[in-house]
Amino acid sequence: APIHAWQDWFASRVEHPAIPGNAHRFRLSFMPLITRKLTRQGIAFNRIQYWDNVLPKLVHLGGTLMLRYDPRDLSRLYAMDSAGHYWSIPYADLKLAPITLAEAKAAIAGMVRREFARDAGQEVVRRALQQRSILEDARTATRKARRDRQRTAEAQRQTKPPSPTSGSRR
């Protein structure tokens, strides 16, 4: 069994591999990395603004910052300070719902240039949530259509008259 192989391997070694002490920091170290400049409005990523009061302490206005993000949840970015501690940087507008990177890219692709002028982050999240709703409705409709086809086929099978057999005639 795999557990026995694992125990045998460790029993035969004097030194054991290092196990990460901080699981959250370890997981963050595998997330994608981006570089952004700090502006008066905060940090922009995929047309969405992010802000936290810790940002001016990490870097001066106009300075660049290395950030990590989770593509499955863009509601926050993670900035590392000089001591190696990660700080969570949420949306500037905390009312916005979490979306994925794929949803954000699809929403941005569907926007026209004039929509980027103001509150683009809200528009990106609104469009992503709208797309989610459309997909869920389609999934439900597909499921319902499949069930309806199955019911129709079953009803036709049950109401079909028996086929004449080449049996005995009177």
Side-chain angles (χ1 to χ4, degrees):
I3 188 68
H4 293 11
W6 177 266
Q7 290 169 343
D8 291 345
W9 190 87
F10 277 111
S12 66
R13 306 282 192 277
V14 176
E15 293 182 20
H16 296 289
I19 296 174
N22 185 338
H24 180 67
R25 181 183 158 87
F26 181 71
R27 188 174 53 250
L28 283 175
S29 66
F30 288 99
M31 290 185 185
L33 187 66
I34 56 171
T35 305
R36 293 291 185 266
K37 284 190 178 190
L38 179 62
T39 65
R40 292 186 190 276
Q41 291 80 28
I43 294 170
F45 177 57
N46 282 319
R47 313 276 188 203
I48 303 170
Q49 290 297 125
Y50 293 84
W51 175 257
D52 193 76
N53 291 333
V54 75
L55 284 173
K57 295 173 186 166
L58 297 176
V59 66
H60 61 281
L61 192 62
T64 58
L65 199 60
M66 301 288 273
L67 301 157
R68 294 200 180 266
Y69 66 94
D70 185 351
R72 300 164 298 177
D73 179 7
L74 293 184
S75 65
R76 57 190 62 254
L77 302 176
Y78 301 94
M80 188 166 57
D81 63 12
S82 58
H85 179 263
Y86 280 103
W87 295 89
S88 177
I89 313 298
Y91 288 148
D93 183 357
L94 298 176
K95 295 180 296 190
L96 299 179
I99 61 172
T100 67
L101 180 62
E103 289 172 330
K105 286 184 177 184
I108 291 168
M111 293 172 70
V112 284
R113 190 167 185 76
R114 63 178 150 62
E115 292 174 325
F116 291 129
R118 195 168 207 180
D119 296 331
Q122 289 179 344
E123 184 63 19
V124 168
V125 173
R126 187 188 68 73
R127 283 178 179 257
L129 294 176
Q130 184 180 28
Q131 187 64 25
R132 251 190 225 167
S133 174
I134 290 168
L135 288 172
E136 186 56 37
D137 291 347
R139 202 174 291 127
T140 302
T142 302
R143 205 176 306 134
K144 183 181 180 312
R146 201 176 314 127
R147 277 195 309 263
D148 289 347
R149 279 194 309 269
Q150 179 69 29
R151 287 181 188 136
T152 303
E154 188 66 31
Q156 286 175 346
R157 235 189 334 257
Q158 290 177 358
T159 59
K160 195 179 218 183
S163 61
T165 59
S166 58
S168 62
R169 287 187 155 176
R170 289 188 192 199

